[in-house]
Amino acid sequence: MQINMSHGSGGKASAELMKDIFGKYFSNEVLNKMEDAAVLELHGKFAYSTDSFVVTPVVFKGGDIGKLSVCGTVNDLLMMGADPAYLTAGFILEEGLELSLLEEIVASMAKTAKEAGVKIVAGDTKVVEGKGGLFINTSGIGIIPEGRTIGAANCTEGDLVLVSGTLGDHHACILSARMGIENQIASDCACLKSMVQLLLENNIRVKTMRDVTRGGLGTILNEIADASNCSIEIKEESIPVRPEVRSFCDILGLDPVYMGNEGKMIAVVAQEDGEKALALMRETEYGGEAAVIAQVVSGKGVYMKTRLGGSRIVDVLYGEGLPRIC
Amino acid sequence: MQINMSHGSGGKASAELMKDIFGKYFSNEVLNKMEDAAVLELHGKFAYSTDSFVVTPVVFKGGDIGKLSVCGTVNDLLMMGADPAYLTAGFILEEGLELSLLEEIVASMAKTAKEAGVKIVAGDTKVVEGKGGLFINTSGIGIIPEGRTIGAANCTEGDLVLVSGTLGDHHACILSARMGIENQIASDCACLKSMVQLLLENNIRVKTMRDVTRGGLGTILNEIADASNCSIEIKEESIPVRPEVRSFCDILGLDPVYMGNEGKMIAVVAQEDGEKALALMRETEYGGEAAVIAQVVSGKGVYMKTRLGGSRIVDVLYGEGLPRIC
């Protein structure tokens, strides 16, 4: 069975798709009311974000577009110090999409949402012409506990920059799949909730956090340096990269500093908290290879201290990166 | 200038697109922080919804995909009795999209958002292969005042069903454009905020509200009858349809009862409030042709009392409707 235009009609076929696939996996007391909008309640500060996912292939080593669409938005909320609570899911399905593939992706979303402790409370489905693929948009709401202020403008001289693990895995995985290269590289697609919670619960003075997605480490550190009106100095040798990803990059002339990841974050923390923060990150499921990779210094821009003792400017990503990576 | 893959990279070209187009029209103090998520505050009940928009052509008589993407989500929030406050916007742009067209659409979104009193507080942009089109997802949050309970399950025998104006306009407009038929039919695409507010401020006992989009009146009334465990009896002659839309439907064999609209709603109100509600609707900009079209009765299902005195079952929409209507 495949998706056809009638599944986007708003009529009988849409209702069946809702019941047989979305309802089956996303069922909860809010969504099940099937109103025009979910009715919820909250008191205080919250984070609110959205992301669309267009990755191809839609299933890849280490994940799929469904898992990615939950992790991506959940991680964005976490980066603001919020506890992710609710998601919406908007599906744009291409005609010819196999229902069994859609079901696999929806099941993966539901599993990831459960792990992340979020409820999918509203959704929408449209059908367009195409080649049997799909796009997913998620938006999310996360509760921000009182007194928590995390933001790109908070960094000051001396702060240390930690990265939660190896760079380039997701990018190298998608590119390998796209090029038909057989290797062991898997996407790092993951929800960073337990890592962020552990840092914050242990009173690490976290100035800012960012997940290292499109644009890569180089672009993100430039945004932070800009917002905080400071400079950041990276130690090249401290950047963790898996050997197989390193080889892959060497062959294709890619730089892990500009590669997209889907389960990696950087945290900028007060200098005195650096060691403790690193130890906490390394305790977590996805933080085993965390490292201190840079320091905030006075000045402007981002610099790399190279292995050979030189220094080079690290600018934001120019050019096109890898299309449809997330 | 056209959109190319680099605009979706997360690097320099993405940043320029953000600044030159999205920043120019959507600028506000929340969005301008450019964090991973917007930070907001609210206390109490709220409505939360999402919708993706894939309409083609992207600009049509009476509106465009940008206006539609704001009205659609704002109307969904209004239907739950909420006052729309915040929107997110996720763009999926096809390579080859003219930047001037994107700017026109973004400007239209900004204008509509301003009229509706909502702020666009977070966004995302992806680029995919294609033919120069675009998809827009919006999600939205609206505040629900204390004591307000509106829902599809609240209707009881005797309640009257009002429709806010003529049916089929949007559907007929899009279909005309798609078929290259020259006529005067314009989309009814509109934000229903002032209409909803007027009803609620004047203490009309509104049991449920729904905007009459994909699936049409027939499908929506069936959903309400189901949820409220009652029957709804429509008077065929009372359904308002513009003469030019009626002619268009007659030629093509379309039934306005299953056609999509983008600025029409139904309100189910207590019987004694029917007359007052109708007068209020007619006072508003988009309610001049409002009418009482149906009544809630005991039983199950939706029926149409025809012009000839007969009665026929009105089921939900079967088949495919019009693809890519919204």
Side-chain angles (χ1 to χ4, degrees):
Chain A
M1 278 276 289
Q2 296 183 333
I3 288 291
N4 61 54
M5 282 296 174
S6 75
H7 290 109
S9 67
K12 192 86 176 172
S14 300
E16 280 169 7
L17 187 65
M18 278 303 286
K19 190 168 132 278
D20 295 345
I21 296 195
F22 299 117
K24 180 171 165 192
Y25 292 96
F26 294 162
S27 174
N28 63 58
E29 74 287 359
V30 181
L31 188 68
N32 297 353
K33 289 196 176 149
M34 301 283 293
E35 297 276 9
D36 276 352
V39 175
L40 302 161
E41 188 162 347
L42 73 79
H43 298 270
K45 272 196 188 173
F46 67 99
Y48 183 24
S49 186
T50 190
D51 235 328
S52 296
F53 298 85
V54 301
V55 66
T56 172
V58 296
V59 178
F60 45 83
K61 225 172 260 167
D64 58 72
I65 192 172
K67 181 179 179 186
L68 197 60
S69 72
V70 173
C71 291
T73 290
V74 161
N75 287 345
D76 278 347
L77 298 173
L78 287 165
M79 296 305 115
M80 300 308 294
D83 188 18
Y86 305 113
L87 292 187
T88 64
F91 293 85
I92 298 177
L93 311 178
E94 287 182 351
E95 254 191 319
L97 173 65
E98 290 294 338
L99 278 177
S100 57
L101 177 59
L102 177 62
E103 182 159 0
E104 180 187 337
I105 289 165
V106 168
S108 169
M109 282 182 82
K111 182 167 172 272
T112 313
K114 198 175 170 194
E115 284 165 8
V118 292
K119 274 184 191 157
I120 295 168
V121 293
D124 175 60
T125 306
K126 296 288 184 332
V127 178
V128 300
E129 309 83 352
K131 297 172 192 159
L134 79 163
F135 305 133
I136 303 176
N137 173 284
T138 51
S139 83
I141 289 177
I143 317 290
I144 303 181
E146 227 172 306
R148 192 169 284 174
T149 54
I150 286 169
N154 298 350
C155 307
T156 53
E157 230 177 295
D159 290 347
L160 294 172
V161 182
L162 283 73
V163 69
S164 66
T166 55
L167 294 185
D169 302 65
H170 179 72
H171 190 128
C173 164
I174 297 299
L175 190 53
S176 301
R178 214 83 72 76
M179 295 171 77
I181 298 172
E182 292 279 338
N183 58 31
Q184 294 308 310
I185 301 172
S187 167
D188 56 333
C189 181
C191 164
L192 298 166
K193 185 171 170 177
S194 45
M195 186 180 299
V196 170
Q197 283 188 334
L198 201 66
L199 293 176
L200 295 173
E201 279 164 11
N202 282 280
N203 303 313
I204 299 296
R205 280 163 292 175
V206 177
K207 309 294 189 74
T208 190
M209 296 185 278
R210 281 284 167 108
D211 50 344
V212 190
T213 53
R214 275 189 304 177
L217 181 73
T219 305
I220 286 158
L221 291 186
N222 268 284
E223 286 169 8
I224 292 172
D226 259 12
S228 285
N229 199 22
C230 64
S231 174
I232 296 177
E233 203 176 77
I234 311 173
K235 262 195 283 182
E236 186 177 28
E237 67 205 22
S238 65
I239 297 174
V241 181
R242 275 187 214 292
E244 61 269 33
V245 173
R246 173 76 70 197
S247 310
F248 183 84
C249 291
D250 285 348
I251 292 167
L252 293 171
L254 297 170
D255 184 348
V257 165
Y258 294 110
M259 287 166 75
N261 314 270
E262 289 297 337
K264 298 292 154 52
M265 60 178 279
I266 59 114
V268 183
V269 305
Q271 188 169 10
E272 313 83 70
D273 292 354
E275 214 166 306
K276 188 176 164 193
L278 182 63
L280 289 168
M281 267 192 178
R282 285 186 171 167
E283 272 179 35
T284 63
E285 186 175 357
Y286 304 114
E289 289 167 281
V292 177
I293 56 158
Q295 187 160 31
V296 177
V297 296
S298 67
K300 275 190 173 302
V302 178
Y303 295 85
M304 176 88 82
K305 287 277 172 199
T306 65
R307 282 184 177 79
L308 302 171
S311 177
R312 65 175 173 90
I313 293 178
V314 176
D315 208 335
V316 300
L317 173 68
Y318 271 86
E320 63 175 69
L322 177 62
R324 302 191 63 174
I325 190 176
C326 58
Chain B
M1 279 275 291
Q2 295 183 332
I3 288 292
N4 60 55
M5 283 294 173
S6 74
H7 290 108
S9 67
K12 193 86 176 174
S14 301
E16 280 169 7
L17 187 65
M18 279 303 287
K19 192 169 131 275
D20 296 346
I21 297 195
F22 299 117
K24 182 170 164 191
Y25 292 96
F26 293 161
S27 174
N28 63 59
E29 74 288 358
V30 182
L31 188 67
N32 297 353
K33 289 194 176 151
M34 302 284 290
E35 299 276 9
D36 275 351
V39 175
L40 302 160
E41 190 163 345
L42 72 78
H43 297 271
K45 271 197 189 174
F46 66 100
Y48 183 25
S49 185
T50 191
D51 235 328
S52 297
F53 298 86
V54 302
V55 65
T56 172
V58 296
V59 178
F60 45 83
K61 225 172 261 168
D64 58 73
I65 191 172
K67 182 180 179 185
L68 197 60
S69 72
V70 173
C71 292
T73 290
V74 161
N75 288 345
D76 278 347
L77 299 173
L78 287 166
M79 294 307 114
M80 299 308 294
D83 188 18
Y86 306 112
L87 292 187
T88 63
F91 292 85
I92 298 177
L93 310 178
E94 288 183 350
E95 255 191 318
L97 174 65
E98 291 294 338
L99 277 178
S100 57
L101 177 58
L102 176 63
E103 182 161 359
E104 180 187 338
I105 288 164
V106 168
S108 169
M109 282 182 83
K111 182 167 171 273
T112 313
K114 199 176 170 193
E115 285 165 6
V118 291
K119 275 185 189 158
I120 295 169
V121 294
D124 175 61
T125 306
K126 295 288 181 334
V127 178
V128 299
E129 310 83 353
K131 297 173 190 159
L134 79 163
F135 305 132
I136 304 176
N137 173 283
T138 52
S139 82
I141 288 176
I143 317 290
I144 303 180
E146 225 171 306
R148 192 169 285 175
T149 54
I150 287 169
N154 298 348
C155 307
T156 54
E157 229 178 297
D159 290 346
L160 294 172
V161 182
L162 283 74
V163 67
S164 66
T166 55
L167 294 185
D169 302 65
H170 178 73
H171 190 127
C173 164
I174 297 299
L175 190 52
S176 300
R178 213 81 74 73
M179 296 173 76
I181 299 174
E182 292 280 337
N183 58 31
Q184 294 307 309
I185 301 172
S187 167
D188 56 333
C189 179
C191 164
L192 298 167
K193 185 172 171 176
S194 44
M195 186 180 299
V196 171
Q197 283 187 334
L198 200 66
L199 293 176
L200 296 173
E201 279 163 10
N202 282 279
N203 303 315
I204 298 295
R205 281 163 292 174
V206 176
K207 307 294 188 75
T208 191
M209 297 185 278
R210 280 284 168 109
D211 50 346
V212 189
T213 53
R214 275 189 305 176
L217 180 72
T219 305
I220 287 158
L221 291 186
N222 268 285
E223 287 169 8
I224 293 171
D226 258 11
S228 286
N229 199 21
C230 63
S231 174
I232 296 177
E233 202 176 77
I234 311 173
K235 262 195 282 181
E236 186 176 26
E237 66 203 26
S238 64
I239 297 176
V241 181
R242 276 186 213 294
E244 62 267 34
V245 173
R246 173 77 69 196
S247 311
F248 183 84
C249 290
D250 285 348
I251 293 166
L252 293 171
L254 297 169
D255 184 349
V257 164
Y258 293 110
M259 289 166 74
N261 313 270
E262 289 296 339
K264 297 293 155 48
M265 60 179 278
I266 59 114
V268 182
V269 306
Q271 187 169 12
E272 313 83 70
D273 292 354
E275 214 167 302
K276 187 176 165 194
L278 182 64
L280 288 167
M281 267 193 177
R282 287 187 170 166
E283 272 179 34
T284 62
E285 186 175 356
Y286 304 114
E289 288 164 282
V292 176
I293 56 158
Q295 187 161 31
V296 176
V297 294
S298 67
K300 275 191 174 300
V302 177
Y303 294 85
M304 175 89 82
K305 287 275 170 201
T306 64
R307 282 186 178 79
L308 303 171
S311 178
R312 64 173 174 91
I313 292 178
V314 176
D315 208 335
V316 301
L317 173 68
Y318 271 85
E320 63 174 70
L322 178 62
R324 300 189 67 173
I325 191 176
C326 58

